Amino acid sequence: MKFDWSSYLEVAETLYNEVISTSNQANSASINEAKIRSCISRAYYSAFCLTRNYLRDFEGYTNLRTLKVGVHTYVITELLGSKERDFIKLGQTLERLRLLRVEVDYEDYIAPNLLISKAKQAIKDAKNVVQLLEKFTER
């Protein structure tokens, strides 16, 4: 069975909601930070993999079936270099999400109040990617 990459976005939303809910105060700050960092990461991977699969399955980027090294940069660069405005917007959104993902996956310290707002933006951006991809497939 083929994995549904939008499930990662659902996981991201679940993690985010767990952290911001008032009933979640029992968790340690470290666990909540891990959830928010994971939320951002899952939002990015949902958006990225859905986009990669769209390009591969609908736009003829058959090289994406086997490309493993540099695939994130390749997808974003292709979108940013497009003549189509919505593809450029998609590339910009993915690039912003990727930078966030890299930050939360590698930086030791990020102010907790910034993490919450970054997670909220990551979820919003990932949802925008999904909407754009749905728009493309309706053509």
Side-chain angles (χ1 to χ4, degrees), residues 3-120:
F3 183 68
D4 179 3
W5 294 103
S6 61
S7 297
Y8 271 179
L9 183 52
E10 290 179 41
V11 169
E13 290 179 290
T14 298
L15 292 168
Y16 177 82
N17 289 329
E18 284 178 9
V19 171
I20 64 166
S21 74
T22 55
S23 64
N24 192 41
Q25 300 307 313
N27 279 345
S28 72
S30 182
I31 294 297
N32 283 339
E33 182 173 343
K35 286 182 178 182
I36 286 297
R37 286 173 178 256
S38 296
C39 160
I40 293 167
S41 184
R42 295 306 89 190
Y44 168 71
Y45 278 108
S46 175
F48 171 76
C49 290
L50 289 168
T51 302
R52 178 203 60 200
N53 291 358
Y54 169 79
L55 291 174
R56 182 192 67 207
D57 300 342
F58 293 95
E59 295 293 330
Y61 284 81
T62 56
N63 60 323
L64 289 172
R65 292 188 197 289
T66 56
L67 183 63
K68 303 293 180 223
V69 177
V71 66
H72 296 264
T73 301
Y74 175 79
V75 166
I76 291 168
T77 302
E78 287 295 309
L79 291 167
L80 291 174
S82 174
K83 291 179 176 35
E84 190 171 333
R85 192 172 179 199
D86 282 339
F87 274 23
I88 295 168
K89 182 178 176 184
L90 186 58
Q92 291 168 338
T93 304
L94 274 181
E95 186 172 45
R96 185 170 52 248
L97 275 168
R98 184 176 187 207
L99 291 172
L100 272 176
R101 199 271 311 160
V102 168
E103 179 183 15
V104 300
D105 282 351
Y106 297 104
E107 291 298 322
D108 290 332
Y109 179 79
I110 303 170
N113 60 319
L114 292 178
L115 272 174
I116 296 290
S117 63
K118 289 176 184 217
K120 187 175 184 179

